[in-house]
Amino acid sequence: LEEQLSTLTQAQRLCVGVLRSSSKEPFPEHYYLRFAWCSPGEPFDAKSAQKVMKKFDRRLLALSVGHFERFFLRRAMYPIPGLRARSGADVLYMNPSRLFPKRDSVTFMVDHLTYMMGCMLEREHTLAYGICIVADFSDFTMANFTVQFFHRMLLVLQGRLVPTRVEAFLIVNPPPWFGNIWAVMKPMMSTEFMAKVPRISFNDLGKHLMPGYEQLLPNDIWMGRRDAKSLMDLFIQERKHIERARMAANKR
């Protein structure tokens, strides 16, 4: 954290300090930096960040890999190590057809998304360049949609409820009738964020992802070549190691 703070400009450090001093209840120290980087609109906008801080559900601070381990078997979303968007953003794979808001808890699924992005944002590069979500809608049906779920999800993706920084949400290979869903989504998004949500085919991925992306995509998506289960298992093991180390440090 100290290393990350040392790279900030004086104005950026001032923003972090304003957030720290204005917080009625203390946050973990790294969260002030995250709130600053992820302030809606432009990074390091103290007023914008303070609005998110006030809405933030502190229950989310206690989320851990153990909360979602059984849900991970679905491989509904996970980071793709080494893959970046052309903008430099790190990539999160998402398959909405593996989420069932009419059956499962909407809060749980949104918490899952929040946790996955939060893990990615622990890296300095992701804080600076944001997250690109590759959302594979190939097998999406109405069983995967409710207005409440999409509304909550889009609030999170836009950084309105939690500190996050989504630079692109690629809707890949949506079904022909997806226009009906899009009509519901549009009022839920700011004009700025809507520009980050293109509907594209698999063949258009190369316009958004770094060269050689086919070698790095998981085989959960058409044309992907990496073993998806191995990527999910790697993420789980890394998070267990990080969170155990963090717990041990807190007990000292």
Side-chain angles (χ1 to χ4, degrees), residues 74-167:
R74 294 189 192 179
R75 299 201 305 271
M77 60 188 82
Y78 50 89
I80 307 177
L83 181 59
R84 286 178 177 164
R86 289 183 177 270
S87 65
D90 286 321
V91 175
L92 175 73
Y93 171 74
M94 182 178 185
N95 191 327
S97 70
R98 296 176 181 175
L99 301 171
F100 297 93
K102 295 182 173 109
R103 183 184 73 194
D104 299 326
S105 163
V106 168
T107 296
F108 183 84
M109 291 187 295
V110 174
D111 284 357
H112 183 43
L113 174 61
T114 300
Y115 174 77
M116 299 303 278
M117 293 194 296
C119 292
M120 295 178 71
L121 288 164
E122 290 180 5
R123 299 181 65 249
E124 184 177 7
H125 179 92
T126 314
L127 272 179
Y129 288 89
I131 297 169
C132 169
I133 299 177
V134 174
D136 181 5
F137 275 79
S138 299
D139 300 317
F140 186 82
T141 71
M142 285 303 293
N144 310 118
F145 174 81
T146 66
V147 173
Q148 180 197 22
F149 173 48
F150 267 58
H151 184 234
R152 292 267 302 275
M153 178 179 71
L154 287 168
L155 284 175
V156 166
L157 294 179
Q158 292 175 89
R160 302 291 180 83
L161 302 179
V162 298
T164 195
R165 190 173 179 192
V166 175
E167 290 302 317

Side-chain angles (χ1 to χ4, degrees), residues 6 22 33 36 39 54 62 69 72-73 80 82 93 101 118 120 129 146 165 169 220-221 232 235 238 249:
S6 69
S22 65
L33 182 59
S39 56
K54 290 178 181 178
E69 193 157 6
F72 285 142
L73 296 174
I80 307 177
Y93 171 74
M120 295 178 71
Y129 288 89
T146 66
R165 190 173 179 192
F169 182 66
D220 271 334
I221 190 170
M232 189 79 264
F235 172 81
E238 286 183 346

